[in-house]
Amino acid sequence: ALPVSCGPFTGSYIYLPVCESGGISLEWFKSAFLPDISFADVDARCSRKTVDPRLTFLPYLTGVNPPEFDPNATGVFFGATIAHDAYDFALAIMCGVACLLRKNIENLQSSGIAFEKIISTGGGAKSALWSQIKADICGLPVAVPAEEEAPSLGAAIIGAVSCGFYTTYKEAAKHCVEIKTIYYPNLQNPEADMQYRLFCQLYDALGPVFSQFP
């Protein structure tokens, strides 16, 4: 089954391959293993780390949504060594979520959908480190709007159009949506591709294992 919904405009559709445990994966890890450390401090400590492309995280704490629907999939850390600490694992979570984002993007591209950039909102968008990781792994610019809470802004835009303050959604978006920062990918980064390939190999290899524990 494909997660396709009717869009807000006539003849439009929304294709939503998502990971419900994307951003929440880092929240879970911090709460469980770094409860006294703020997100800002976690981000700062991770920024001083070098990504180990072997240390890989599958962010399937709540299973896998379509198009790879698998409710039995779980979160997995792979490649841990005695040299790694909690912040290496936090950094691996950021990379793992970025790998899943790339996987979903490639699925959309296989359907003929072209991409110019990623627009990132919500809590994860507040991290320059995480935004740059997404850009590097996905090979696309990551744009962060000035208003990071997109649902609230979207609701306000709908209200503004409905009451006639703006004539169209296009006009409203032109006046209300502003891009604050764009993170451009480092396209000369073979380790990002290596990490993504390992991410995909791990999921494919563990599929039969996940199915043993319904």
Side-chain angles (χ1 to χ4, degrees):
L2 297 176
V4 178
S5 304
C6 291
F9 313 116
T10 302
S12 66
Y13 298 90
I14 300 173
Y15 184 32
L16 292 172
V18 298
C19 176
E20 291 179 355
S21 56
I24 203 174
S25 293
L26 188 60
E27 183 178 345
W28 157 78
F29 183 81
K30 192 194 87 65
S31 176
F33 303 105
L34 296 169
D36 300 321
I37 307 297
S38 69
F39 278 111
D41 286 340
V42 171
D43 199 64
R45 291 285 295 269
C46 288
S47 295
R48 296 194 290 269
K49 289 280 187 180
T50 299
V51 172
D52 181 347
R54 299 166 302 171
L55 182 59
T56 304
F57 176 68
L58 302 186
Y60 302 131
L61 299 177
T62 57
V64 180
N65 287 310
E68 297 176 313
F69 185 72
D70 185 354
N72 297 324
T74 67
V76 174
F77 281 107
F78 173 86
T81 72
I82 200 169
H84 294 127
D85 62 19
Y87 298 98
D88 289 303
F89 283 91
L91 189 56
I93 289 173
M94 296 182 192
C95 293
V97 172
C99 285
L100 179 57
L101 177 60
R102 174 171 168 176
K103 201 171 190 183
N104 285 339
I105 287 172
E106 290 187 350
N107 180 268
L108 291 167
Q109 289 172 329
S110 70
S111 300
I113 299 172
F115 280 79
E116 295 180 358
K117 63 179 177 293
I118 297 164
I119 298 177
S120 182
T121 63
K126 297 175 182 177
S127 168
L129 171 64
W130 205 347
S131 296
Q132 188 62 57
I133 287 172
K134 291 174 184 176
D136 290 344
I137 288 180
C138 295
L140 289 166
V142 171
V144 178
E147 176 52 65
E148 295 166 353
E149 297 303 327
S152 299
L153 178 60
I157 288 175
I158 291 171
V161 174
S162 298
C163 73
F165 190 84
Y166 291 112
T167 305
T168 64
Y169 288 108
K170 184 176 182 179
E171 179 191 3
K174 181 178 178 181
H175 285 87
C176 299
V177 179
E178 176 187 354
I179 298 300
K180 178 178 65 176
T181 311
I182 300 178
Y183 299 89
Y184 292 95
N186 175 10
L187 298 178
Q188 305 299 320
N189 187 358
E191 289 190 342
D193 284 332
M194 170 186 168
Q195 190 168 38
Y196 177 65
R197 289 194 301 271
L198 178 57
F199 178 92
C200 295
Q201 290 169 353
L202 284 172
Y203 177 77
D204 292 342
L206 289 172
V209 180
F210 290 146
S211 66
Q212 295 179 34
F213 302 94

